[in-house]
Amino acid sequence: MSAEPRINDRIRVPEVRLVGPNGEQVGIVRVEDALRLAGEADLDLVEVAPMAKPPVAKLMDYGKFKYEAAVKAREARKNQVNTVIKEIKLRLKIDPHDYGTKKGHVERFLNAGDKVKVTIMFRGREQSRPEMGFKLLQRLAEDVSEIGFVESSPKQDGRNMVMVIGPVKKKAEARAEGRRKREAEAADQPETELATTE
């Protein structure tokens, strides 16, 4: 059975519950009468609820209905956002400058609305000190607490310790904010160019 509703002559039941073009209830009528009404109004008879007893049919412009449904589906797809998990890897003995750089990456990912999987890799004897890795992950979580929250707390996974930080802002909000910022910068751009040419 196809997803397409049956229209006009394809409706093979003796009678239908008819709904008018503006949503008004006409009542239970024979299919022949419903088709005649549809022809007079230059509309299609579309079966909207085939499982009802009797089936519900509506008078409408089927081409326009299909077009509007396609537009709605396209809009829904456009507004749909995919959550991406970015990964940052750290070592237990990380240099303060390197830590700052990695923290900057985490902040950038969270501001963009992405989740961040932070992995600490243990080597050799470091494996016997998991509490050091836990402290490092806790420090990172506190440093980015304004823009992210710990979604899954640190867990030991073989030679690694893993923690997931989720963004406070949703991806759609982050995307809209970035768009506004770019538009504001574009609006400011011509003024600064004028100032430099004078």
Side-chain angles (χ1 to χ4, degrees):
M1 192 165 160
S2 70
E4 292 279 310
R6 292 187 295 193
I7 61 170
N8 299 331
D9 297 331
R10 293 202 183 120
I11 300 173
R12 305 231 183 267
V13 290
E15 54 186 22
V16 292
R17 183 178 302 276
L18 188 62
V19 178
N22 299 322
E24 69 276 5
Q25 294 287 333
V26 177
I28 297 174
V29 295
R30 289 177 37 238
V31 171
E32 296 81 20
D33 296 337
L35 285 168
R36 187 177 40 77
L37 286 170
E40 288 169 6
D42 198 26
L43 294 171
D44 296 306
L45 182 67
V46 182
E47 192 176 49
V48 290
M51 294 305 178
K53 298 277 188 235
V56 179
K58 185 174 181 180
L59 295 173
M60 66 169 79
D61 182 346
Y62 186 63
K64 184 178 174 187
F65 169 74
K66 274 187 77 168
Y67 172 75
E68 286 171 356
V71 167
K72 275 184 197 167
R74 195 165 47 245
E75 284 296 315
R77 271 197 308 276
K78 194 164 75 175
N79 293 332
Q80 184 180 17
V81 286
N82 297 334
T83 306
V84 179
I85 297 183
K86 303 284 189 173
E87 186 171 13
I88 290 286
K89 293 187 176 185
L90 307 171
R91 294 254 184 240
L92 195 57
K93 297 175 183 163
I94 189 167
D95 182 69
H97 179 266
D98 292 342
Y99 174 79
T101 304
K102 298 278 188 176
K103 185 181 86 166
H105 291 322
V106 171
E107 288 171 345
R108 190 179 77 228
F109 295 147
L110 290 172
N111 283 328
D114 294 321
K115 293 181 182 183
V116 183
K117 178 181 172 186
V118 185
T119 306
I120 292 186
M121 299 177 290
F122 296 103
R123 287 189 296 198
R125 290 186 192 163
E126 292 173 354
Q127 290 180 54
S128 64
R129 304 290 303 277
E131 68 280 356
M132 300 285 284
F134 186 80
K135 280 183 188 170
L136 183 60
L137 289 174
Q138 288 299 107
R139 178 177 152 208
L140 180 64
E142 286 168 19
D143 288 347
V144 298
S145 61
E146 288 180 17
I147 54 173
F149 64 96
V150 177
E151 202 167 271
S152 79
S153 51
K155 291 185 193 76
Q156 188 80 28
D157 180 23
R159 293 177 151 218
N160 301 332
M161 186 173 277
V162 179
M163 173 177 76
V164 177
I165 303 174
V168 171
K169 274 189 261 173
K170 297 255 186 302
K171 182 111 177 179
E173 291 171 23
R175 203 180 268 174
E177 193 175 290
R179 196 177 305 122
R180 281 195 298 271
K181 204 179 282 183
R182 281 194 302 276
E183 287 168 2
E185 287 171 4
D188 293 344
Q189 199 72 29
E191 294 170 17
T192 53
E193 282 176 10
L194 270 170
T196 53
T197 54
E198 289 174 0

